[in-house]
Amino acid sequence: MPQVSKKIADGEHSPSAANARQHFVVPPELDGLRLDIVLAQLLVTSRSQIKTLIDEQRVWVDGRVKKAGYLVRTGEELGLLPLPAEPITVTPQEIPLDILYEDEYIAAINKPTGMVVHPAPGQWEGTVVNALLYRWGWGDQQEKSIAYRPGIVHRLDKDTSGVLVIAKTQLTLERLSHAFKERRVHKRYLAVVHGCLRTKSGTIELPIGRHPLDRKKMAVRTQEGRAAISRYQVRAETQAVSLLHLFPETGRTHQLRVHLAAIGHPIVGDHVYGGGVQRKSTEPLVRAFPRQALHAEQLEFLHPFTGRPLRIRAPYPADLLSLLEIFRHSTKDLTNTLLPVDGEKRINYH
């Protein structure tokens, strides 16, 4: 993460104070980038919130309001006034959580497919956040903005299963968020994709941005996208599909799904990015698979307080296990340690 000079405006005594004005000095490595992209690098927040900050004229450059496309220069001072804390409108719900690991600072769950992480219009109940509020009762203990979005460090798509790390304190949230931003969290996904890749391991480095026509989708955007890097390794294959391990080095929205579709190998069952089309295949399981065959299998990182290395793994869900059966007799099985997962030993220490 770029090193920046940060201070709180006169009259504010705490960085966490409501509406505390924040100031950043643009470092050389961000010279010439769009204002919204620079803010995304400097802040631990979503792109939608950055857009709102700019649209509501809560961001200024050297004291003047600028648009999102303004190209910043080294040494310019960026100021922003954070949005007011959102009111708590999320109801705690008694929803079972598959806990992979838990201590006084962090927890890790195995998010099931079909479960949304964070509430949003049209989906205010049944989310991970609803379950977290019930389990730990954060609504009465923390600031409103934290209670509305308790402990969410990173996200998984609704139909992606696997490891999701939760911060149990505000300081933990800040430390883990920076670890993700600085690429100190190592992620491994498992995916089944259409076709056979010519190169059995490699790196996909294509910038990703909002789709120019469909704002709900992402796309490869050569000029306007943000840098995105995904590494892959083929583990097994049939004549029609391949089993991959994926290692995203950046965390763009829908990154793995967009990257794999861009190289002509969309994830099986991904109806948004082309993996849901009926392709010539001898495996009925592939044609019938109802969601994107993507699983966040493992996270590795240093514990934010003890510094101890953690490796947290999530067992495969039943639907994915069924799909993986097609690789048991693969003529190009590249690993003999892929399928077995010990459900009683989900976390290992280095």
Side-chain angles (χ1 to χ4, degrees):
M1 181 177 179
Q3 297 297 313
V4 299
S5 171
K6 178 180 179 182
K7 60 185 180 181
I8 303 302
D10 294 339
E12 300 290 349
H13 303 289
S14 168
S16 62
N19 293 335
R21 296 192 179 193
Q22 300 178 23
H23 296 260
F24 302 85
V25 176
V26 178
E29 56 266 36
L30 299 183
D31 181 72
L33 296 181
R34 288 170 53 100
L35 176 60
D36 55 353
I37 293 177
V38 170
L39 290 175
Q41 293 290 324
L42 301 180
L43 301 175
V44 181
T45 189
S46 66
R47 293 295 294 272
S48 62
Q49 286 192 325
I50 290 173
K51 182 179 185 302
T52 300
L53 287 168
I54 295 174
D55 290 346
E56 294 188 3
Q57 298 188 355
R58 288 175 170 265
V59 177
W60 59 92
V61 179
D62 285 344
R64 295 186 176 184
V65 173
K66 298 291 185 181
K67 294 183 178 181
Y70 174 79
L71 303 182
V72 305
R73 297 300 177 190
T74 300
E76 287 182 326
E77 185 174 278
L78 309 182
L80 68 92
L81 182 64
L83 295 168
E86 298 184 63
I88 301 174
T89 58
V90 182
T91 303
Q93 291 181 289
E94 188 176 4
I95 302 171
L97 292 174
D98 183 6
I99 305 296
L100 302 174
Y101 173 83
E102 183 177 2
D103 60 29
E104 61 183 304
Y105 303 105
I106 64 174
I109 68 171
N110 184 15
K111 189 191 84 66
T113 180
M115 192 176 192
V116 173
V117 172
H118 186 263
Q123 181 77 59
W124 291 107
E125 296 183 346
T127 72
V128 172
V129 167
N130 294 105
L132 297 180
L133 287 174
Y134 181 89
R135 183 179 180 87
W136 286 293
W138 285 328
D140 297 328
Q141 301 175 20
Q142 304 225 6
E143 298 176 10
K144 289 184 178 180
S145 60
I146 303 304
Y148 181 72
R149 198 173 166 179
I152 301 301
V153 184
H154 63 120
R155 298 191 186 190
L156 295 177
D157 294 340
K158 177 181 178 180
D159 288 332
T160 298
S161 55
V163 182
L164 188 72
V165 173
I166 309 299
K168 298 179 72 174
T169 70
Q170 173 63 11
L171 184 55
T172 304
L173 179 65
E174 293 173 358
R175 290 185 178 183
L176 282 176
S177 295
H178 284 294
F180 271 90
K181 190 172 282 289
E182 294 170 1
R183 303 183 189 179
R184 290 187 283 108
V185 177
H186 304 288
K187 297 163 280 188
R188 187 175 80 191
Y189 286 72
L190 189 77
V192 181
V193 304
H194 286 286
C196 296
L197 284 73
R198 181 176 302 177
T199 304
K200 303 311 175 186
S201 64
T203 300
I204 307 170
E205 192 166 355
L206 296 169
I208 292 176
R210 191 66 59 181
H211 194 284
L213 301 178
D214 187 345
R215 305 303 292 174
K216 294 182 180 181
K217 294 175 58 176
M218 307 301 289
V220 170
R221 303 295 300 275
T222 304
Q223 300 298 326
E224 301 177 359
R226 301 174 66 192
I229 303 172
S230 304
R231 293 187 295 111
Y232 69 87
Q233 184 174 26
V234 177
R235 308 306 304 187
E237 58 187 16
T238 68
Q239 291 183 342
V241 293
S242 298
L243 183 64
L244 307 184
H245 265 146
L246 302 166
F247 309 90
E249 295 186 9
T250 51
R252 310 305 176 211
T253 301
H254 299 176
Q255 176 176 314
L256 296 175
R257 298 164 64 188
V258 172
H259 270 174
L260 290 165
I263 65 171
H265 298 282
I267 296 175
V268 166
D270 190 342
H271 295 271
V272 176
Y273 294 105
V277 299
Q278 295 297 321
R279 295 168 180 255
K280 292 182 179 180
S281 171
T282 57
E283 296 91 357
L285 284 171
V286 173
R287 297 194 298 271
F289 204 71
R291 53 103 176 179
Q292 66 254 19
L294 182 63
H295 178 70
E297 182 178 32
Q298 179 174 289
L299 284 182
E300 290 186 84
F301 57 96
L302 298 181
H303 193 286
F305 283 92
T306 68
R308 188 179 187 181
L310 291 178
R311 179 189 297 153
I312 304 176
R313 293 190 64 190
Y316 306 133
D319 62 346
L320 186 59
L321 279 173
S322 297
L323 184 61
L324 296 183
E325 288 291 331
I326 64 177
F327 295 104
R328 284 195 179 276
H329 304 292
S330 168
T331 57
K332 294 184 179 180
D333 186 3
L334 305 181
T335 176
N336 58 9
T337 61
L338 179 64
L339 293 177
V341 175
D342 187 345
E344 299 302 319
K345 297 180 181 178
R346 299 174 178 177
I347 180 167
N348 301 302
Y349 296 102
H350 288 296

